[in-house]
Amino acid sequence: MLTERARAEGFDVATKCSRAGDIVHAHSGQAHNMAVRATLGASITRVVTRHVAFTPRHPLVHRLKYTKTCDGIIAVSDAVREVLLLAGIPSSHITVIHTGVEVPASVERRAHDGLVVGHMGAFTPEKGQDVLVEAARALPDVRFVLAGEGALLEELKQSAPSNVSFLGFVADKAEFFAGIDVFAMPSRSEAWGLAALEAMAHGVAVIASDIQGLREIVTPDSGWVVPLAGMVDAIRMAGGNACPTGGRARAAEFGVARMAQETETFYRRLHPLS
């Protein structure tokens, strides 16, 4: 999808890494490995964005990889930066640039009966959709709408009560957010909760688990940060109280224009124009 969009905007797109260009920017560990192999011996600036906050299994290998084979690292949050520092990567090698979100000029809300709780994300253990399935059992009068695909989807479908709907992949996010009252994000690990930020951009209050990658985003004006074990109580509370309404203003602090400008500044620092 990104390839098609870039070409439609008039950018030259190569489907394989090559020695062409001044900067190679990878967005995963595997992509970085490919970039290094493709550019060995070339006078080129290599950078990588870290989108995950997992503690590395082999910190020494991690440290060597991200100090000896690249010129700079973008961490998408302070949570990611801390993991990199714990692995021994020097602070001077790391720049935090939060992933941006597009804030629509206006948003739509659809009227419905009862509280509707939404979630969007890959169905993997760290995303915590199983917590929402359990919450649905405890809150039979609340509707839960879960969007996304992944390894745990079929298993959760089999165990979910009837007040849970599974939408699969959703292309029209505006339509999805228009149909929910609260966005729940019960993550066990999160580098940067972009889905929560997207919900806020569409005017939906967020209930987030109390982990750093979400604490950096959600404020009292935009939602609630709660312990994972408190998700049921938080949803019950949201159904009986007015939800925070400052999400769109908070999301605007992390706009895509700001992200693009900070990334360009990062590029120019590592590879000044001649």
Side-chain angles (χ1 to χ4, degrees):
M1 182 180 293
L2 179 60
T3 300
E4 286 77 9
R5 288 183 63 185
R7 283 179 173 148
E9 293 291 334
F11 291 96
D12 292 329
V13 179
T15 55
K16 293 183 179 180
C17 187
S18 71
R19 293 170 182 254
D22 299 311
I23 299 172
V24 172
H25 189 162
H27 283 267
S28 71
Q30 183 178 4
H32 180 58
N33 293 340
M34 295 170 60
V36 171
R37 288 195 297 269
T39 59
L40 280 175
S43 178
I44 200 164
T45 298
R46 301 188 194 96
V47 300
V48 62
T49 294
R50 289 289 293 173
H51 295 273
V52 296
F54 300 130
T55 301
R57 285 175 292 181
H58 306 289
L60 177 59
V61 173
H62 206 72
R63 180 166 69 251
L64 292 173
K65 175 178 179 178
Y66 289 108
T67 55
K68 301 299 183 183
T69 65
C70 73
D71 298 285
I73 307 168
I74 293 175
V76 298
S77 66
D78 290 330
V80 175
R81 180 178 183 275
E82 288 188 11
V83 169
L84 294 171
L85 291 173
L86 288 172
I89 296 170
S91 175
S92 59
H93 216 58
I94 307 166
T95 298
V96 175
I97 300 178
H98 298 114
T99 302
V101 65
E102 295 184 10
V103 180
S106 61
V107 294
E108 176 189 353
R109 313 279 343 129
R110 287 204 309 272
H112 48 255
D113 296 328
L115 182 68
V116 180
V117 176
H119 172 84
M120 180 181 293
F123 278 73
T124 55
E126 68 273 10
K127 293 296 184 181
Q129 288 96 345
D130 58 300
V131 174
L132 295 182
V133 169
E134 290 302 314
R137 290 195 180 92
L139 300 166
D141 294 330
V142 176
R143 274 201 301 135
F144 290 77
V145 182
L146 310 186
E149 300 175 328
L152 298 182
L153 176 58
E154 292 305 318
E155 177 184 335
L156 289 177
K157 277 185 176 180
Q158 296 299 318
S159 64
S162 59
N163 57 328
V164 181
S165 300
F166 296 88
L167 303 184
F169 174 76
V170 171
D172 190 341
K173 293 184 179 180
E175 175 71 12
F176 171 80
F177 289 121
I180 65 175
D181 300 302
V182 177
F183 186 84
M185 200 156 184
S187 303
R188 297 181 173 93
S189 175
E190 199 70 58
W192 179 245
L194 184 60
L197 201 60
E198 289 177 323
M200 289 155 55
H202 285 83
V204 180
V206 173
I207 300 174
S209 54
D210 190 8
I211 57 174
Q212 185 168 342
L214 293 173
R215 285 196 301 268
E216 292 181 50
I217 295 173
V218 182
T219 62
D221 289 337
S222 59
W224 304 271
V225 175
V226 301
L228 201 57
M231 192 63 59
V232 169
D233 289 339
I235 292 171
R236 187 179 287 118
M237 176 192 64
N241 295 275
C243 290
T245 58
R248 280 170 55 78
R250 176 62 173 163
E253 298 177 26
F254 303 99
V256 291
R258 174 209 49 79
M259 177 186 67
Q261 180 59 59
E262 291 181 5
T263 303
E264 181 179 347
T265 300
F266 171 78
Y267 286 161
R268 291 184 184 279
R269 175 168 58 83
L270 295 179
H271 193 95
L273 295 175
S274 57

